[in-house]
Amino acid sequence: MANDTKDSHYWNEEIAFLTARLNGEHGDIDRDDRAACEEALKAATMNLNGHHPR
């Protein structure tokens, strides 16, 4: 699914999941996973706000 077809509900769900993951609510997270989640959270927040990265 392209970013343009994902609505705010999708991005809010994605942000909630990533935030919970970073807070350890889905088990332990190693350094590499943490870095990937932080980048994904930044991208999801940008997408929610309509600033699609290129």
Side-chain angles (χ1 to χ4, degrees), residues 13-32:
E13 291 287 320
E14 186 75 5
I15 290 167
F17 171 79
L18 292 166
T19 300
R21 180 78 176 113
L22 288 167
N23 290 333
E25 296 174 27
H26 296 281
D28 292 339
I29 184 169
D30 66 25
R31 186 178 358 184
D32 292 336

Side-chain angles (χ1 to χ4, degrees), residues 1 16 19 22 29-30 34 37-40 42-44 48 54:
M1 181 183 289
T19 300
L22 288 167
I29 184 169
D30 66 25
R34 177 169 296 281
C37 283
E38 288 170 348
E39 287 301 313
K42 287 178 193 175
L48 176 64
R54 298 190 187 251

